């Protein structure tokens, strides 16, 4: 089964592409200012505004000029962050747009880019946005409050007062397609569009295994008891910095009872889920008022739902 365009590079466990990334992160170059400077002139530079939107052309396509057209090169605080090397050995950097004289007619947010841009460009944007978010929120040391300066191509912060080192943070979260053998468990939050449902998700807590997180989150949010689960796939989710770890779980056919985290939760038959998938991407227009609306195709949640449908169909075919 294919995962489609995989805008944020999620892949199913064991897939050939599982070890490939959009860019070679080239950690070996982060401590080599001469190498970064040599890459800069011909490198592509992804420019982000203060809201985390990427500069784009009039049609919404990525507009990443070469370093030689940008005023700021790789260096310390506020200068370009080294993202990595593409398949041709070309460098990619990210830079705050306000530091340049370069402008573009449009700004594109990350969710729009994930849906519309090629997977490579969307993945590079996701990497740049996550780093920008980390940098903007770690200007001062959490140990002593001293000012933090950046090194290693923008990937390491060091406190100028106590010397503590700081690194970009990724928060692990599980996301799980729960089945009782015949039905799929879906929940919805009150802030979502009407009738939008998704699989269950939650952050890993200290001292937990991923499997324990699956069981705890499903029980806390829906009152359903998980019997067993197994890992399927992962997807970076840079809103702002999560890593979604996808599971499939078998559970007791308990009646869902929601807490304050969800507005509703319910079991859905394969026929109901198949009909929801057939509705395609739904933008809230022409609402027929019938059946659940599923997560958009850029998310691993939609992939997990379709994976469950395919596995369920295969099980009944045997």
């Amino acid at each position: 089964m294919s995962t489609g365009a995989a805008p944020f590079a999620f892949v199913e466990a064991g897939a050939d592409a599982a070890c490939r990334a959009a860019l070679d992160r080239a950690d070996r170059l982060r401590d080599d200012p001469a190498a970064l400077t040599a890459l800069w002139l011909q490198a592509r530079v992804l420019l982000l505004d203060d809201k985390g939107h990427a500069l784009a052309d009039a049609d919404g396509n990525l507009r990443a000029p070469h370093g030689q057209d940008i005023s700021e090169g790789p260096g310390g605080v506020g200068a370009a962050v080294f993202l990595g090397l593409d398949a041709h050995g070309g460098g990619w950097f990210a830079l705050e747009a306000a530091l340049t004289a370069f402008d573009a007619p449009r700004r594109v947010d990350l969710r729009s880019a994930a849906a519309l841009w090629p997977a490579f460009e969307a993945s590079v944007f996701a990497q740049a946005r996550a780093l920008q978010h980390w940098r903007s929120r770690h200007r001062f040391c959490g140990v002593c409050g001293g000012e933090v300066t950046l090194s290693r191509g923008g990937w390491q912060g060091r406190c100028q007062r106590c010397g503590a080192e700081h690194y970009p943070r990724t928060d692990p979260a599980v996301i799980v397609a729960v089945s009782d053998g015949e039905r799929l468990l879906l929940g919805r939050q009150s802030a979502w569009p009407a009738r939008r449902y998704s699989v269950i998700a939650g952050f890993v807590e200290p001292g937990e295994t991923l499997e324990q997180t699956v069981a705890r989150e499903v029980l806390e949010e829906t009152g359903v008891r998980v019997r067993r689960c197994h890992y399927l796939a992962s997807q970076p989710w840079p809103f702002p910095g999560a890593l979604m770890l996808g599971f499939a779980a078998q559970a007791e056919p308990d009646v869902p009872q929601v807490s304050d985290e969800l507005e509703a939760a319910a079991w859905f038959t394969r026929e109901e889920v198949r009909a929801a998938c057939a509705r395609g991407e739904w933008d809230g227009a022409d609402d027929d008022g019938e059946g659940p609306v599923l997560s958009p195709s850029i998310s691993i949640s939609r992939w997990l739902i379709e994976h469950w449908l395919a596995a369920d169909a295969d099980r009944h075919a045997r």
Side-chain angles (χ1 to χ4, degrees):
M1 182 179 65
S2 170
T3 58
F8 295 142
F10 76 79
V11 291
E12 54 194 308
D16 291 342
C19 293
R20 294 199 299 269
L23 291 174
D24 171 6
R25 302 293 181 99
D27 177 82
R28 63 193 180 277
L29 299 182
R30 292 175 185 170
D31 275 326
D32 191 341
L36 297 182
T37 299
L39 284 170
W40 175 254
L41 292 180
Q42 297 304 317
R44 300 291 300 280
V45 184
L46 197 151
L47 300 173
L48 301 178
D49 66 17
D50 58 359
K51 296 180 180 179
H53 297 167
L55 271 61
D57 64 21
D59 295 322
N61 302 309
L62 174 64
R63 190 166 184 180
H66 290 98
Q68 61 190 357
D69 300 320
I70 303 297
S71 58
E72 290 281 346
V77 177
V81 175
F82 175 59
L83 300 177
L85 305 174
D86 61 27
H88 304 289
W92 281 76
F93 292 81
L95 182 64
E96 298 283 345
L99 295 176
T100 79
F102 190 90
D103 201 2
R106 288 188 61 181
R107 307 287 192 275
V108 175
D109 67 273
L110 186 51
R111 289 182 186 273
S112 298
L116 301 173
W117 287 4
F120 172 85
E121 294 180 353
S123 293
V124 174
F125 184 6
Q127 179 186 349
R129 178 67 186 97
L131 281 167
Q132 181 195 41
H133 184 270
W134 170 70
R135 286 158 58 94
S136 68
R137 283 158 177 76
H138 291 81
R139 295 173 179 171
F140 298 95
C141 179
V143 178
C144 72
E147 184 178 357
V148 171
T149 58
L150 298 175
S151 60
R152 303 202 75 244
W155 288 83
Q156 181 188 71
R158 181 181 293 275
C159 176
Q160 296 303 291
R161 181 184 298 170
C162 72
E165 295 180 351
H166 303 271
Y167 296 90
R169 171 176 170 172
T170 297
D171 297 316
V174 300
I175 182 165
V176 52
V178 180
S179 174
D180 66 354
E182 296 296 328
R183 301 171 297 174
L184 184 67
L185 180 66
L186 300 175
R188 67 167 274 105
Q189 297 181 12
S190 58
W192 291 352
R195 299 189 295 112
R196 168 71 55 80
Y197 277 81
S198 181
V199 293
I200 309 304
F203 286 100
V204 180
E205 292 189 350
E208 279 187 324
T209 66
L210 299 177
E211 293 80 5
Q212 289 169 343
T213 304
V214 167
R216 175 183 57 78
E217 283 289 343
V218 174
L219 184 64
E220 286 180 355
E221 295 190 10
T222 70
V224 172
R225 294 166 294 165
V226 169
R227 297 199 303 265
R228 59 183 178 273
C229 64
H230 64 277
Y231 169 78
L232 290 176
S234 65
Q235 182 186 33
W237 194 244
F239 301 105
L243 175 63
M244 306 303 294
L245 303 159
F247 282 79
Q250 292 295 314
E252 301 292 344
D254 299 322
V255 177
Q257 299 180 11
V258 298
S259 64
D260 57 354
E261 295 189 51
L262 294 178
E263 179 184 71
W267 293 105
F268 291 89
T269 67
R270 69 180 66 89
E271 290 76 17
E272 290 173 316
V273 175
R274 189 176 297 112
C277 286
R279 293 190 183 99
E281 296 293 318
W282 182 81
D283 60 4
D286 301 322
D287 185 3
D288 61 13
E290 298 179 0
V293 174
L294 301 180
S295 310
S297 59
I298 69 167
S299 67
I300 192 174
S301 58
R302 180 61 171 263
W303 182 88
L304 287 169
I305 292 169
E306 293 176 352
H307 182 280
W308 175 79
L309 262 185
D312 185 73
D314 181 64
R315 180 171 63 88
H316 283 84
R318 290 197 296 267

